[in-house]
């Protein structure tokens, strides 16, 4: 009954968050998940350089999870049922990923029960459900989110008690299966298992038969997983392709530094506080007590955290979400602190392991502070980039021809075709600025992508790369996306004036831009968002739509 209640509650909360999300967090939730799936089923969708380079680095395994949804909508014809079709195209994948997210909460309860006992389960679940970072990221179509769920499930089947019975091999097989699935979603998940598997081997050193069988299972399950990745990617790319290798080679080459180079302490000084927010004091207290508690399971989990953060810290490019799979472990450490600090007046050893400890009100209040912040960040903050997609979906049918929309925004500021689902916008009907990295060994410090060039001098870009007059026929832009490795001096960066232009309000404050657009016959017809929102100056001012009006 308790499992059923937890399952229903987790599904309700995660799917509710997924359906109600009105903000953008990371472009990858669209361009590394939904866009490739939409491209497979409907034949169009924006594919980034990771999919188009000679040595592609993205596996189709994760985006393929969305393919059945789009395929069913296409085969039934529901995708073209007006507003209903638009609603289902956007929200059906959200239900799927919200369901995946709920697996983290559900299996966290099991993992907590197996590692530190029933007494701590409620606190761990509360920490998970009130987590600001889970609210922001877990229900989105990010590969890190599914990686987090699969890692939590795999950890549940790890033999934490140290006793090896007939059931142990079955559990290890389940652990290896879900670990392999997590690695197929993100190959870097192998870092976690590079710590846990040697630790497991050491513990099983006295049971040679089980150790040999475990190694055999690793070879079979690991080999089958790598084979599956190779076959699916070879079919998708129509040539022999092994994306895990390409991913590692490309990122080791320094291309990832194009997207940012953070200091070694980034995960300690920024990522951990952001992931844990108000639970951070309990996490730190849980870590301190774990060092002295003598619980082997907790100490192993702490080792996973230290090892994984240590390895990730060696890379130059760092992001909060890269260590998202560690957050359930951190919640277990925090739950230990919450329970034991709430029962300070009673000797906890005298309590039943199944007896729930009521969390102190002060602690509970601190945890619940995240709820209004989560609501603001998920439902309100910087909602313009999603709202503009609704506006574009509602452009009249008679205007959906030729060059319809151009995005004068930093690359990937909005979702792509999967959120529009208008075939008229494919193949040049919609264009946007790009941000391809230096794939041809260019000097990283001197390299400038299309977005950099545009925002360095927007008015000059408009003068040099657009026609002097607007063609009322609105011909399609011959190059709706910048080409990976393309020179900045090539004509591939030339545009045709579209009927609509989308931009952030900050662009209109750049010298000469507003006057240039007005002089070409454009006027503002729509805006959304608050002027102060945005993670950089060029993304502030809300989202605006300008439309060309024929002069009478």
């Amino acid at each position: 009954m308790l499992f059923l209640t937890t399952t229903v509650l987790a599904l309700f909360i995660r799917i509710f968050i997924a359906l109600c999300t009105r903000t953008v967090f990371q472009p990858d939730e669209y361009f590394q998940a939904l866009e490739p799936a939409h491209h497979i089923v409907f034949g169009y969708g924006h594919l980034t350089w990771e999919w188009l380079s000679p040595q592609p680095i993205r596996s189709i395994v994760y985006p393929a999870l969305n393919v059945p949804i789009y395929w069913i909508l296409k085969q039934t014809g529901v995708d073209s049922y007006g507003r209903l079709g638009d609603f289902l195209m956007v929200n059906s994948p959200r239900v799927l990923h919200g369901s995946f997210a709920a697996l983290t909460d559900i299996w966290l309860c099991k993992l907590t029960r197996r590692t530190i006992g029933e007494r701590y389960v409620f606190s761990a679940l509360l920490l998970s459900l009130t987590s600001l970072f889970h609210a922001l990221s877990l229900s989105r179509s990010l590969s890190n989110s599914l990686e987090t769920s699969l890692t939590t499930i795999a950890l549940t089947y790890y033999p934490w008690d140290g006793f090896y019975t007939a059931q142990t091999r079955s559990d290890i097989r389940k652990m290896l299966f879900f670990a392999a699935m997590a690695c197929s979603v993100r190959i870097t998940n192998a870092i976690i298992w590079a710590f846990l598997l040697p630790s497991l081997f050491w513990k099983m050193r006295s049971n040679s038969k089980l150790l040999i069988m475990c190694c055999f299972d690793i070879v079979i399950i690991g080999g089958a997983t790598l084979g599956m990745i190779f076959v699916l990617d070879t079919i998708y790319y129509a040539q022999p392709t092994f994306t895990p290798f390409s991913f590692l080679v490309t990122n080791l080459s320094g291309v990832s530094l194009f997207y940012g180079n953070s200091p070694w302490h980034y995960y300690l000084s920024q990522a951990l506080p952001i992931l844990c927010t108000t639970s951070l004091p309990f996490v730190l207290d849980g870590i301190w007590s774990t060092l002295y508690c003598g619980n082997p399971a907790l100490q192993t989990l702490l080792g996973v955290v230290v090892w994984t953060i240590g390895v990730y810290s060696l890379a130059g490019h760092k992001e909060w979400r890269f260590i998202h799979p560690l957050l359930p472990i951190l919640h277990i450490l925090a739950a230990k602190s919450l329970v034991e600090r709430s029962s300070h007046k009673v000797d906890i050893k005298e309590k039943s392991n199944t007896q729930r400890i009521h969390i102190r009100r002060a602690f509970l209040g601190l945890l619940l502070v995240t709820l209004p912040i989560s609501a603001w960040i998920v439902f309100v903050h910087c909602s313009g980039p999603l709202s503009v997609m609704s506006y574009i979906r509602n452009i009249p049918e008679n205007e959906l021809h030729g060059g319809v929309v151009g995005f004068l925004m930093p690359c990937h500021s909005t979702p792509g075709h999967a959120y529009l689902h208008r075939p008229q916008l494919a193949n040049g009907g919609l264009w946007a600025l790009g941000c391809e990295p230096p794939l041809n060994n260019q000097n990283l410090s001197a390299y400038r992508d299309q977005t950099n060039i545009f925002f360095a001098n927007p008015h000059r870009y408009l003068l040099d790369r657009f026609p002097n007059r607007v063609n009322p026929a609105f011909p399609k832009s011959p190059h709706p996306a910048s080409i990976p490795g393309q020179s900045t001096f090539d004509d591939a960066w030339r545009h045709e004036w579209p009927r609509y232009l989308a931009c952030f309000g900050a662009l209109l404050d750049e010298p000469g831009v507003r006057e240039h657009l007005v002089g070409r016959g454009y006027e503002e017809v729509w805006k959304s968002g608050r002027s102060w929102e945005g993670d950089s100056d060029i993304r502030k001012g809300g989202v605006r739509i300008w439309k060309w009006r024929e002069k009478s």
Side-chain angles (χ1 to χ4, degrees):
M1 185 63 183
L2 181 60
F3 174 77
L4 179 61
T5 302
T6 301
T7 300
V8 172
L9 179 63
L11 284 170
F12 174 80
I13 291 176
R14 296 306 174 194
I15 293 175
F16 174 80
I17 292 174
L19 291 175
C20 295
T21 295
R22 294 294 179 267
T23 58
V24 173
F25 174 44
Q26 282 284 340
D28 282 6
E29 64 182 293
Y30 311 112
F31 296 97
Q32 308 303 338
L34 304 181
E35 287 295 292
H38 189 276
H39 190 275
I40 290 174
V41 177
F42 296 100
Y44 65 97
H46 179 69
L47 299 180
T48 59
W49 69 269
E50 293 98 329
W51 302 91
L52 299 176
S53 62
Q55 296 296 324
I57 67 171
R58 295 296 185 188
S59 172
I60 197 59
V61 171
Y62 180 64
L65 297 173
N66 301 285
V67 167
I69 292 175
Y70 289 143
W71 184 84
I72 291 172
L73 292 174
K74 179 183 179 180
Q75 293 302 312
T76 58
V78 176
D79 66 297
S80 58
Y81 279 14
R83 291 182 181 274
L84 174 61
D86 292 341
F87 176 84
L88 293 175
M89 285 295 299
V90 171
N91 289 291
S92 296
R94 290 185 172 196
V95 172
L96 174 67
H97 293 281
S99 301
F100 287 153
L103 298 177
T104 295
D105 304 309
I106 296 167
W107 259 266
L108 173 64
C109 294
K110 295 185 176 182
L111 179 59
T112 305
R113 189 176 292 114
R114 291 199 61 180
T115 51
I116 54 177
E118 184 69 35
R119 182 190 299 118
Y120 303 89
V121 170
F122 174 78
S123 296
L125 179 61
L126 178 65
L127 286 159
S128 186
L129 293 178
T130 60
S131 167
L132 173 62
F133 197 80
H134 274 346
L136 173 64
S137 181
L138 192 60
S139 293
R140 297 179 186 268
S141 51
L142 287 164
S143 59
N144 307 90
S145 301
L146 181 57
E147 178 195 10
T148 299
S149 294
L150 291 171
T151 302
T152 306
I153 297 173
L155 289 173
T156 303
Y157 291 109
Y158 190 88
W160 298 108
D161 55 15
F163 297 103
Y164 304 112
T165 64
Q167 182 63 27
T168 301
R169 189 184 182 193
S170 175
D171 286 345
I172 290 176
R173 281 176 170 174
K174 293 175 184 176
M175 177 197 72
L176 293 173
F177 172 79
F178 287 108
M181 292 300 99
C183 292
S184 70
V185 171
R186 283 190 66 84
I187 191 62
T188 49
N189 188 260
I191 294 171
I192 292 175
W193 303 101
F195 176 88
L196 280 173
L197 290 181
S199 174
L200 179 61
F201 294 159
W202 178 255
K203 293 175 182 177
M204 292 193 304
R205 65 187 183 279
S206 60
N207 191 333
S208 58
K209 181 178 180 181
L210 182 60
L211 179 59
I212 293 172
M213 290 190 295
C214 180
C215 292
F216 178 78
D217 291 335
I218 290 174
V219 171
I220 297 299
I221 295 174
T225 302
L226 293 175
M228 175 198 70
I229 295 172
F230 176 76
V231 170
L232 290 178
D233 288 343
T234 297
I235 293 173
Y236 175 73
Y237 290 108
Q239 63 180 14
T241 305
F242 189 58
T243 51
F245 178 75
S246 302
F247 177 86
L248 294 175
V249 169
T250 301
N251 281 280
L252 290 174
S253 71
V255 169
S256 63
L257 298 180
F258 174 72
Y259 296 103
N261 188 4
S262 301
W264 67 267
H265 54 77
Y266 173 90
Y267 288 115
L268 297 176
S269 60
Q270 295 187 45
L272 278 179
I274 288 171
L275 261 69
C276 299
T277 56
T278 57
S279 68
L280 182 60
F282 306 108
V283 171
L284 296 177
D285 184 53
I287 291 173
W288 180 258
S289 64
T290 295
L291 294 175
Y292 302 98
C293 74
N295 183 324
L298 271 185
Q299 291 174 344
T300 300
L301 286 174
L302 180 57
V304 171
V305 173
V306 173
W307 161 264
T308 305
I309 290 178
V311 173
Y312 270 117
S313 295
L314 297 176
H317 178 59
K318 304 175 180 71
E319 294 185 33
W320 309 332
R321 60 193 176 100
F322 290 172
I323 61 169
H324 194 178
L326 299 180
L327 189 52
I329 298 176
L330 298 173
H331 285 156
I332 293 177
L333 293 169
K336 173 179 171 57
S337 171
L338 266 177
V339 169
E340 296 181 359
R341 293 295 179 181
S342 296
S343 56
H344 67 285
K345 293 181 180 180
V346 180
D347 184 359
I348 197 168
K349 294 181 180 179
E350 296 178 359
K351 284 189 168 286
S352 166
N353 188 49
T354 61
Q355 183 175 346
R356 180 183 299 176
I357 304 295
H358 293 286
I359 299 175
R360 293 172 60 183
R361 290 184 179 180
F363 296 165
L364 185 61
L366 182 60
L367 295 179
L368 297 182
V369 166
T370 60
L371 296 184
I373 303 174
S374 298
W376 173 263
I377 291 178
V378 173
F379 306 142
V380 181
H381 185 67
C382 292
S383 58
L386 278 189
S387 299
V388 73
M389 307 308 279
S390 297
Y391 180 91
I392 295 172
R393 281 197 300 268
N394 290 310
I395 291 176
E397 185 76 23
N398 63 339
E399 295 182 354
L400 289 176
H401 60 82
V404 183
V405 185
F407 285 87
L408 295 176
M409 294 177 163
C411 64
H412 308 140
S413 292
T414 70
H417 286 283
Y419 264 57
L420 294 174
H421 193 57
R422 295 292 185 271
Q424 302 94 325
L425 299 180
N427 303 317
L430 176 152
W431 57 259
L433 301 177
C435 54
E436 280 64 33
L439 298 176
N440 297 325
N441 299 316
Q442 297 100 318
N443 186 333
L444 186 62
S445 61
Y447 179 82
R448 296 293 182 269
D449 60 38
Q450 188 180 21
T451 294
N452 295 146
I453 296 294
F454 174 81
F455 282 100
N457 193 334
H459 189 210
R460 173 52 54 189
Y461 190 102
L462 295 175
L463 287 171
D464 293 347
R465 300 181 185 272
F466 283 79
N468 290 328
R469 300 172 61 87
V470 177
N471 183 343
F474 303 109
K476 289 186 174 183
S477 188
H479 301 286
S482 59
I483 302 172
Q486 190 77 45
S487 168
T488 62
F489 301 103
D490 290 331
D491 288 341
W493 283 13
R494 292 195 173 274
H495 309 271
E496 295 287 346
W497 288 106
R499 186 184 299 271
Y500 293 88
L501 283 169
C503 66
F504 287 105
L507 177 65
L508 304 173
D509 297 329
E510 292 289 330
V513 171
R514 182 184 294 270
E515 295 77 11
H516 191 86
L517 296 181
V518 172
R520 297 301 181 274
Y522 286 92
E523 65 181 32
E524 188 169 292
V525 295
W526 180 88
K527 65 179 180 179
S528 177
R530 287 145 291 276
S531 61
W532 52 269
E533 294 177 336
D535 58 5
S536 63
D537 289 341
I538 60 177
R539 296 180 188 270
K540 295 184 184 296
V543 178
R544 315 295 182 91
I545 289 285
W546 284 54
K547 182 180 181 181
W548 185 80
R549 302 284 195 186
E550 186 173 5
K551 297 180 180 179
S552 57

